[in-house]
Amino acid sequence: MARRKKIYEGKAKILFEGPEPGTLVQYFKDDATAFNAEKRATIEGKGVLNNRMSEHFMTGLNTIGVPTHFIKRLNMREQLIKSVEIIPLEVIVRNVAAGSISKRLGIEEGTPLPRPIVEFSYKDDALGDPLVTEEYIIAFGWASQQDLDDIVALALRVNDFMSGIMYGVGIRLVDFKIEVGRVYDGDYQRLIVADEISPDSCRLWDLKTGEKLDKDVFRRDLGNLADAYTEVANRLGLMPKNVGNGTGPTLVS
Ligand code: TMP
């Protein structure tokens, strides 16, 4: 059988041509990077866990009427998605100060923010994804004012949904990043959540102990990343009950 055509390879995922026009297959790698790929590792099982968790969150979002690119999971590492035109922005929502906002403004990590803060970075690895303002986004034509209003509304709905899901399993959603894509419906365009939602793109802290259960475990050398992600998947009910044969993560279908 001919190998599928690779459309794009990123740091943690690969996109292949999909089976029908307007679809792609998104493959989750085990690679982890931080600080714009200055730090790299392969974390066995990470791709499988993120594929399953992203499926879980995106399916929930689709169900409550927040449109996403997710169609269905195909296997342990791959999901079928809608092909979108990615808006070149990282859309970040923060509930609690951590990471770059703490550094930039000198706010102690863990300080609750007065309201959810939405911010944008321009997706450009060579520039290190710099923070940009709405003025930049509109002036350079990356998105229109109407798009931005829709993007903020989408991001805040994702924040409420994800905060609730996480609260239900004893986790605080500190912040997260989404990407947004355009799809065309005849003459209309719609903006939908794209890329992935997983502990690679969120900060997740245990509500009681403050233990970090996200990619900061890797960024800051705090322990075993796959164990942290497995803990999140477990609390969400996505892991089978009787594992322990040492073959790595297996999933509830
Ligand atoms: P930051 O505090 O480093 O700006 O990160 C904010 C959120 O965005 C955090 O949940 C991690 C996520 N994030 C990504 O998903 N990709 C990135 O490249 C960066 C820098 C952050």
Side-chain angles (χ1 to χ4, degrees):
M1 203 173 75
R3 186 70 194 143
R4 286 168 307 182
K5 188 171 159 202
K6 191 192 278 188
I7 305 287
Y8 175 81
E9 178 155 4
K11 285 174 284 204
K13 297 184 295 296
I14 308 173
L15 295 176
F16 294 102
E17 199 169 59
E20 289 159 31
T23 67
L24 295 172
V25 172
Q26 179 165 257
Y27 175 98
F28 286 75
K29 302 193 275 189
D30 280 343
D31 298 349
T33 65
F35 315 119
N36 208 6
E38 269 174 40
K39 178 171 178 168
R40 298 165 177 273
T42 301
I43 315 278
E44 204 185 324
K46 179 174 86 81
V48 174
L49 289 158
N50 281 352
N51 185 29
R52 182 69 184 92
M53 284 192 269
S54 203
E55 173 195 14
H56 181 69
F57 303 134
M58 298 255 185
T59 303
L61 287 167
N62 284 339
T63 304
I64 64 162
V66 179
T68 82
H69 72 164
F70 181 83
I71 301 172
K72 67 174 180 181
R73 186 162 60 87
L74 297 171
N75 56 50
M76 298 274 277
R77 288 188 181 273
E78 294 178 327
Q79 47 184 247
L80 185 67
I81 58 170
K82 288 182 190 156
S83 169
V84 303
E85 201 178 285
I86 285 284
I87 294 185
L89 297 173
E90 303 212 326
V91 181
I92 293 161
V93 183
R94 302 180 187 275
N95 299 304
V96 176
S100 65
I101 196 173
S102 289
K103 226 184 212 167
R104 190 178 313 116
L105 301 181
I107 307 173
E108 192 184 342
E109 287 206 324
T111 308
L113 296 167
R115 51 172 248 189
I117 294 177
V118 181
E119 67 182 45
F120 305 98
S121 296
Y122 179 52
K123 260 174 77 70
D124 185 321
D125 282 342
L127 299 174
D129 298 338
L131 188 71
V132 291
T133 65
E134 295 203 4
E135 279 283 302
Y136 290 23
I137 294 167
I138 292 164
F140 293 117
W142 300 324
S144 66
Q145 182 65 61
Q146 176 64 54
D147 291 338
L148 276 176
D149 294 346
D150 292 349
I151 290 169
V152 169
L154 265 182
L156 291 175
R157 290 189 74 192
V158 173
N159 186 43
D160 284 346
F161 174 78
M162 289 295 296
S163 292
I165 291 251
M166 290 300 168
Y167 176 72
V169 297
I171 293 173
R172 169 171 295 134
L173 179 65
V174 171
D175 57 31
F176 66 93
K177 184 259 316 189
I178 54 169
E179 294 185 23
V180 175
R182 269 180 229 284
V183 283
Y184 295 92
D185 252 343
D187 286 345
Y188 294 94
Q189 63 134 22
R190 279 195 315 148
L191 296 175
I192 68 178
V193 179
D195 191 54
E196 71 177 289
I197 302 177
S198 76
D200 265 15
S201 54
C202 302
R203 283 199 173 88
L204 305 171
W205 295 356
D206 182 88
L207 265 176
K208 287 211 188 88
T209 66
E211 184 191 358
K212 292 180 173 47
L213 298 169
D214 58 67
K215 204 164 98 176
D216 274 348
V217 171
F218 168 72
R219 294 190 190 96
R220 304 179 185 191
D221 296 318
L222 300 175
N224 183 310
L225 191 72
D227 287 352
Y229 287 20
T230 300
E231 172 66 19
V232 178
N234 226 334
R235 291 195 198 185
L236 292 166
L238 305 178
M239 301 294 290
K241 293 277 179 291
N242 300 308
V243 276
N245 57 8
T247 56
T250 43
L251 299 168
V252 174
S253 57

